[in-house]
Amino acid sequence: MSLSNSLLKFTLMVNIADEYKYLVKVILFDSSNRIVFPVEESLSTYKYYINKGLYTIRIEMNSEVSDKIITVNKDRDYLVASNNFKLPHSNIIEPPQQFSSALLGGDNVNTYGSSYEYYTSPAIEFSRNSTFDYSGGNLITANSSLFIFMRFPSLEKYKDLREKWDKSFYRDFEIVNDFGEPIIIFDSQVGIVVNEYDGWIAFNAVLPHGIYYLIYHGKEPRQIPIYVFKNWHTQFFITLGEVPLFGTIRIFISKMREFNPKDETNKYIDILLDKLQNKDYSIDENLIEIVASGKYESPMLGLICSYIYLKGAQKKNDNLFYRISNNLRQVILKDNDESPDLQALDILLVEHLGNTNYSKRDVKGTPMLRIGFEAIKNASVKNNTLIPMNSINDFISETLYYDSPFNTFQPIKYSRNSISGLDLENILYKNKFRRYSKPYFSPNEILQNTSSSENIVGQVSSQLDLSIRNVLTPRVIHLIKNSDINSDSKENWIRTSISDMINQNDNLSINEISNQLNLSGSTISRIFEDWKREVGGSK
């Protein structure tokens, strides 16, 4: 006696090609649109035991979906891949195309739908050729460069947007050094290559190692830190739209001064950046193995994976990531100790392992990755020296954006004393540019220019523990309590939060406010100093 057809079980296998296994998710629906759960699941295989009938295999990737309706009346086997594979077309399920600002490609070119030849070819060409000769600093021994490539999603999208503009798309960008001194202003059209027909911009220059900033002055202005590592070449990609699409930023660190679209490590960087943006701090063993073997060719791969692991709760590979972190600093990126990302990584390493120490010195510049800035900001709640008042990280705390895994923020306004008639190059290294809400000396400046710095540190620290009633006049406290009617405060979440807290309790100390808002006491102190000057009242 045979069993009823309705009781027969068939095996459905959905396999994932290697280039997609970290990118896609498979969901199976029955004819009533109910989810069917697999009996076995891994990154590369989904296995189901199901009855005869109609089903929908859904492939999710990058918030896009691709559905395939199938009839199951026997065992079936499908492969999620591009149709470059030599299999019957009916057995292939093509996922949505992958998009990346970096023009990634390879043998399976359909993986990345945005890597058009008219963008890929100039990206490769200008990644190895200078467009700008930098005259500042010492380049005699420099073996480092910065390559920036900006483009649109496609030629068609660019042409649609171009009809709406009253000026060329590249004119609102500039690159400045650590001191705020412009290296190149795109509006001058000097030092860049622009293709206004296809819609792309290229910049490439040999530069001294250190931190630089790409600044966008158009609608939704941003500042983006880019670190150039000694003996390495930094490659920066971003997609443009009506405004720059800051969530599409991709930064690679290459040993060779040439962009390689087929470099497999760049694909994994793309995957890890998606994890960062989604606050997914889990890493499987296979990916860890890839990173452990690829970190010497791609420091960015090791850096991002270390950030994710150390931020997460996994403990099994602590010793491995201790070695990776130390190798990044001491071997792979040797002589780049001032890199803010390496300093931030030290902080996360200490927090994760709990048995090592990190340098308590202030961080010069700011990390390229937002997770790095947040690590410094969080640690500064207990260690104010990490973020001195009026430092760039102090101001970023107020203006940070969260639409990118990279660190982007409102542009910092730099100001400096007149240096007319003096040697600009030498003066720049002696007089750092700073942004001030209003002119005044910061505690950091005092500490650097006095022989009694230890006493001043003690004075500043003790002030942070005092009730604000002991450091602010009643007029200032009244202003703070009513700051929500001030237009500047409405646009500043920190001021608004402080005002709300003090309306509930005006006997708080700066340290108590710092702990509740998870911000450096230096940032809270600076905002109080601004309020004090507004009314001219301080004790």
Side-chain angles (χ1 to χ4, degrees), residues 117 175 201 483:
E117 182 66 23
I175 301 171
I201 318 166
S483 68

Side-chain angles (χ1 to χ4, degrees), residues 316-383:
K316 179 181 177 181
N317 292 289
D318 281 3
N319 289 336
L320 172 62
F321 279 93
Y322 178 78
R323 293 196 301 273
I324 289 175
S325 299
N326 282 335
N327 283 339
L328 280 171
R329 176 183 290 282
Q330 299 173 11
V331 181
I332 305 169
L333 296 175
K334 184 181 178 182
D335 299 326
N336 289 285
D337 287 343
E338 292 301 314
S339 161
D341 279 288
L342 293 180
Q343 292 177 262
L345 193 63
D346 278 353
I347 291 172
L348 282 182
L349 186 67
V350 170
E351 291 178 350
H352 188 89
L353 299 180
N355 59 355
T356 58
N357 295 309
Y358 64 87
S359 171
K360 300 299 193 296
R361 72 185 189 276
D362 64 307
V363 179
K364 306 293 186 184
T366 192
M368 291 188 288
L369 287 143
R370 176 159 52 84
I371 190 174
F373 167 76
E374 290 171 339
I376 294 169
K377 176 182 71 68
N378 295 341
S380 73
V381 175
K382 294 182 180 179
N383 177 18

